[in-house]
Amino acid sequence: MKELRHQALLALLEPDPPSKCLAAHNLYNLLRTGAMVLDTEQLIPEPPGVPGHPERPELIAPHQVPRRGAGSAAGRAALLHAVAHIEFNAINLALDAIWRFPSMPPAFYHDWLHVASEEATHFGLLLKRLGAYGLEYGDLPAHNGLWEAAHKTRLDLLARMALVPRTLEARGLDVTPALRDKLADAGDLDSAAVLDVILRDEVGHVAIGNRWYHFLCERQGRSSLTAHAEVARRYDAGLPRPPFNWEARQRAGFNEADLLYFQDLQPPR
């Protein structure tokens, strides 16, 4: 039988996006049918080539990525390409959490494989919408901020949970509704419907990040309220910043104390 964490690493190393998506779906189906074993304790050396990614898109600094509105077809295509790039990175992040971090309960690895499969579904939906605009993934430049945050936290799982799902991915809960409305207002109802699916699922993904963040805080005897800010300072990372989508964030496992704490930490303008 195949071992889950090793197979997740192989999927992570896959450079071809459709093949990576297929691998994520296949692994999740194998897990669900009991055709997969799990070794939670083995330390797996990191091979070269993590993560596997295609030659395109060109990766540039975040401030160099052109900003385009939804008022034109080119602008809508650029927005969808940016979201597709986020979803592709999210597949990698979920697979990376599985192979990289040992000594967690089996549910941790099951959760992140579920996330990888859903992110792969999102990526496939976005590829179809890009095709409607005559584009393929990789036709436009993108930045690598999500994976850079993962690399920073490669030795610290609590920091990974704080700075990736609880910060970067949770930001999508705040901004996706407005982006969805812009696409709908421009007449692209099909793309708006895809973002509805993504927002629904991302609430669950952020909730998984929150669940394991709190688990690790309890395991390490740390305050879940203050540990996030502590690791953000240690890794020179940003904190969640308002305005917050309070309803979505609370469904994703943030409580009012979390959000008020983040608001209080914002620097004065």
Side-chain angles (χ1 to χ4, degrees):
M1 294 178 73
K2 295 181 178 180
E3 197 281 318
L4 171 57
R5 293 177 58 228
H6 282 88
Q7 293 300 314
L9 177 56
L10 292 177
L12 179 64
L13 291 168
E14 171 58 56
D16 177 62
S19 297
K20 189 190 296 282
C21 291
L22 181 61
H25 289 315
N26 286 342
L27 287 179
Y28 186 55
N29 288 333
L30 286 172
L31 180 67
R32 294 173 66 193
T33 58
M36 185 87 66
V37 296
L38 171 62
D39 183 344
T40 63
E41 297 304 318
Q42 184 177 4
L43 291 171
I44 305 175
E46 181 167 354
V50 171
H53 57 82
E55 292 183 1
R56 300 184 309 139
E58 177 190 5
L59 298 178
I60 59 180
H63 68 274
Q64 294 178 316
V65 177
R67 296 185 179 275
R68 297 178 182 174
S72 67
R76 292 190 291 278
L79 290 173
L80 291 168
H81 190 277
V83 178
H85 183 65
I86 291 170
E87 297 301 309
F88 180 72
N89 272 282
I91 302 168
N92 286 335
L93 288 164
L95 294 170
D96 189 72
I98 295 167
W99 83 265
R100 186 179 295 277
F101 298 106
S103 304
M104 291 292 287
F108 173 86
Y109 306 99
H110 295 188
D111 276 350
W112 288 111
L113 188 53
H114 182 193
V115 171
S117 180
E118 287 194 339
E119 301 289 18
T121 295
H122 300 168
F123 183 76
L125 293 172
L126 288 161
L127 287 187
K128 291 179 181 178
R129 293 309 307 145
L130 284 173
Y133 285 92
L135 288 182
E136 296 180 354
Y137 176 61
D139 284 348
L140 299 175
H143 71 79
N144 210 27
L146 263 177
W147 186 257
E148 288 169 0
H151 182 72
K152 280 184 181 180
T153 57
R154 64 193 181 278
L155 301 178
D156 187 339
L157 180 54
L158 188 150
R160 171 71 66 87
M161 295 295 104
L163 302 183
V164 178
R166 276 175 55 93
T167 301
L168 296 176
E169 292 182 309
R171 188 62 181 156
L173 305 183
D174 304 325
V175 303
T176 298
L179 177 57
R180 180 255 180 231
D181 289 346
K182 287 180 181 179
L183 291 169
D185 290 345
D188 188 350
L189 298 181
D190 289 335
S191 294
V194 169
L195 291 193
D196 285 334
V197 172
I198 291 174
L199 180 61
R200 179 199 68 200
D201 292 346
E202 292 297 339
V203 169
H205 300 174
V206 175
I208 287 170
N210 262 319
R211 180 183 314 138
W212 293 110
Y213 169 78
H214 285 281
F215 172 89
L216 290 160
C217 285
E218 184 174 349
R219 175 189 272 186
Q220 297 177 20
R222 302 177 67 177
S223 164
S224 61
L225 194 61
T226 60
H228 190 133
E230 291 165 4
V231 298
R233 286 191 293 270
R234 183 186 315 148
Y235 291 96
D236 192 26
L239 288 164
R241 63 185 189 276
F244 296 130
N245 181 345
W246 281 61
E247 187 272 334
R249 280 184 176 260
Q250 288 179 311
R251 285 193 290 121
F254 289 97
N255 58 41
E256 187 172 354
D258 287 323
L259 300 180
L260 291 174
Y261 181 73
F262 293 141
Q263 282 186 329
D264 290 343
L265 289 176
Q266 301 304 311
R269 295 189 176 186

